[in-house]
Amino acid sequence: MNIVFKKEIEDISASYDLLEDSLENLKNKILQEYIPDCSKNGQVEEIQNALQIFEKVKSHMNELANLKGSYKEMFGGYIINNNQEEDNEEIEEENEKDIKDVADRTTWKKENENIRIETARPDGSSSYPNIIPIHIFEEIVRTIIDQFVRYNKDYIKTSTISSLLNDKIIQETNYKKSPKTLVYSVIKILIKENILENKDNYKRMYVLKQSPEYILKWLEGI
């Protein structure tokens, strides 16, 4: 039965992740943008209203976390844990605070219809490659841009993009058991090319450094 319902169960789990990201984004916008703007304009009543909304969002996020935990407890046994088969070193990379250092150790080039990405290990002893079809590379970059433009996100996370492109990556690449690894490899390149950067004091959150128009032109030139 786990194979029959696996896709639907995983899609629902990904939806929880996306909703969690959206609520976090709303919370940050209220706290970091809207309230400071109201403060500059002396809009005391608007600040009070915004704080009420902020508290409601926090409360809803707590409820969502409990519901998400309950869902995973209930259906986790039906999901094959693909993440266990990812390269452990790459998972550890993303947990590093200074992802810029990881990006600096990464090189990339176009090879026929693929993008070859190689990251040297910290001691320089060796490197490990990721080979990505160029159309998937482009799809990942365009999906990242779309999150900022269409959905007005302040930041993106690897998990969000891999959730959105999970089926496509599984169907059209060799990363059938580790779509997140492929997305993270592309993010390393975007950091190296000064297109994304790590959000201040946050791990695994990335913000734009260039305009969408600049990125699309860069993408066309690959």
Side-chain angles (χ1 to χ4, degrees), residues 91-147:
I91 296 173
E92 290 173 5
E93 269 187 8
E94 199 183 10
N95 288 327
E96 291 184 18
K97 186 173 183 179
D98 187 8
I99 189 176
K100 183 68 167 57
D101 175 65
V102 179
D104 287 344
R105 288 188 272 113
T106 301
T107 59
W108 68 286
K109 62 181 178 179
K110 181 179 176 182
E111 288 185 347
N112 300 318
E113 297 304 313
N114 297 312
I115 299 293
R116 182 181 182 88
I117 301 170
E118 290 194 6
T119 301
R121 290 184 167 83
D123 62 3
S125 60
S126 60
S127 62
Y128 49 87
N130 293 110
I131 311 297
I132 305 173
I134 192 165
H135 75 280
I136 295 294
F137 181 92
E138 292 176 349
E139 184 81 11
I140 291 171
V141 175
R142 292 180 188 278
T143 300
I144 289 172
I145 295 173
D146 202 45
Q147 288 293 295

Side-chain angles (χ1 to χ4, degrees), residues 14 17-18 21 83 86 90-91 93-95 99 140 143-144 147-148 155-166 169 178-188 191 196 198 203-207:
D17 291 338
L18 292 173
D21 285 350
N83 290 336
E86 292 182 13
E90 291 185 43
I91 296 173
E93 269 187 8
E94 199 183 10
N95 288 327
I99 189 176
I140 291 171
T143 300
I144 289 172
Q147 288 293 295
F148 289 107
Y155 62 86
I156 57 99
K157 296 198 297 187
T158 311
S159 58
T160 302
I161 306 303
S162 62
S163 293
L164 291 169
L165 295 174
N166 185 71
I169 291 172
S178 55
K180 184 180 175 184
T181 296
L182 186 149
V183 172
Y184 178 62
S185 296
V186 175
I187 287 176
K188 286 191 291 186
I191 290 172
L196 292 179
N198 206 187
K203 294 180 181 179
R204 299 181 294 281
M205 294 184 183
Y206 311 103
V207 299

Side-chain angles (χ1 to χ4, degrees), residues 31-65:
L31 194 63
Q32 299 173 9
E33 295 181 19
Y34 188 71
I35 289 179
D37 285 346
C38 290
S39 179
K40 290 178 183 177
N41 298 324
Q43 298 171 298
V44 177
E45 186 175 345
E46 285 297 319
I47 292 174
Q48 292 173 342
N49 291 335
L51 287 172
Q52 289 178 2
I53 296 173
F54 179 79
E55 291 301 323
K56 288 179 180 179
V57 172
K58 281 178 58 180
S59 176
H60 190 62
M61 288 182 70
N62 290 334
E63 293 177 9
L64 178 63

Side-chain angles (χ1 to χ4, degrees), residues 108 115 137-138 141-142 145 186 189-195 210-222:
W108 68 286
I115 299 293
F137 181 92
E138 292 176 349
V141 175
R142 292 180 188 278
I145 295 173
V186 175
I189 296 306
L190 296 181
I191 290 172
K192 185 178 185 68
E193 297 298 325
N194 205 36
I195 289 171
Q210 305 290 345
S211 70
E213 294 77 16
Y214 173 92
I215 301 168
L216 290 173
K217 187 175 181 180
W218 170 81
L219 195 60
E220 289 173 0
I222 294 176

